Amino acid sequence: MNLLNGKKVTVRRYQEEDAEAIVNLIRRNFLEVNVKDYGEEAMKALAEHHDVNWFKGVAATSSVYVFCIDNEIVGVGSIASYWGSLTESILLTIFVLPELHGEGIGRFIIQTLEQDELFLRADRIEIPASITAVEFYKK
């Protein structure tokens, strides 16, 4: 649990029934936030591709964490082995509800992922980032 700007944010491991809410959260970011850097057509196509089956595939090979306020999913983050490597990992699917950007939830997601075994064992961490998220990761 973490208290961010007066909001109690809890973290837990992903459960399969979370997939739809997570996909909706990711799609909202594409269509409401990333659209500013990539345009509507590109983000609609990306949102269409990022469906529940896609996310279940990500979850099958990753450590996925879900962040909640009052049992509502407000953020997600995952880490996986980078192409099966034992010494390299990759941060994936780090998203926060658009209306909660800047509230510290993203920082909490990164701090949580940094405690995962896949992070701790890695000599190198890959972070694929959208243009929109580069400044967040630089912090």
Side-chain angles (χ1 to χ4, degrees):
M1 181 191 73
N2 207 338
L3 203 58
L4 302 169
N5 293 332
K7 298 175 178 114
K8 180 178 159 186
V9 181
T10 58
V11 60
R12 63 174 170 76
R13 291 289 192 138
Y14 162 81
Q15 299 164 3
E16 194 168 322
E17 58 267 17
D18 298 328
E20 188 172 337
I22 290 168
V23 166
N24 289 337
L25 183 155
I26 292 170
R27 286 177 168 171
R28 281 196 57 204
N29 274 274
F30 291 157
L31 299 172
E32 297 173 29
V33 181
N34 295 78
V35 70
K36 296 168 189 142
D37 291 315
Y38 294 97
E40 191 173 336
E41 187 177 324
M43 289 300 93
K44 280 185 177 178
L46 198 60
E48 212 171 283
H49 172 265
H50 285 69
D51 62 11
V52 170
N53 288 328
W54 163 82
F55 189 78
K56 287 180 179 179
V58 170
T61 60
S62 306
S63 295
V64 180
Y65 297 88
V66 176
F67 298 79
C68 301
I69 296 175
D70 297 329
N71 295 317
E72 176 192 359
I73 295 174
V74 297
V76 64
S78 62
I79 186 168
S81 171
Y82 188 69
W83 295 103
S85 173
L86 296 177
T87 60
E88 297 180 313
S89 295
I90 185 168
L91 299 182
L92 301 165
T93 60
I94 298 171
F95 291 93
V96 173
L97 282 177
E99 61 269 25
L100 296 177
H101 284 195
E103 299 285 323
I105 296 169
R107 186 178 314 111
F108 184 29
I109 292 171
I110 296 298
Q111 290 168 346
T112 300
L113 295 174
E114 288 175 341
Q115 299 308 309
D116 187 275
E117 183 194 325
L118 292 171
F119 187 94
L120 296 172
R121 76 176 193 193
D123 295 328
R124 188 180 84 83
I125 302 293
E126 179 87 11
I127 307 173
S130 65
I131 293 168
T132 315
V134 168
E135 287 306 313
F136 166 76
Y137 289 114
K138 282 183 177 179
K139 287 184 198 176

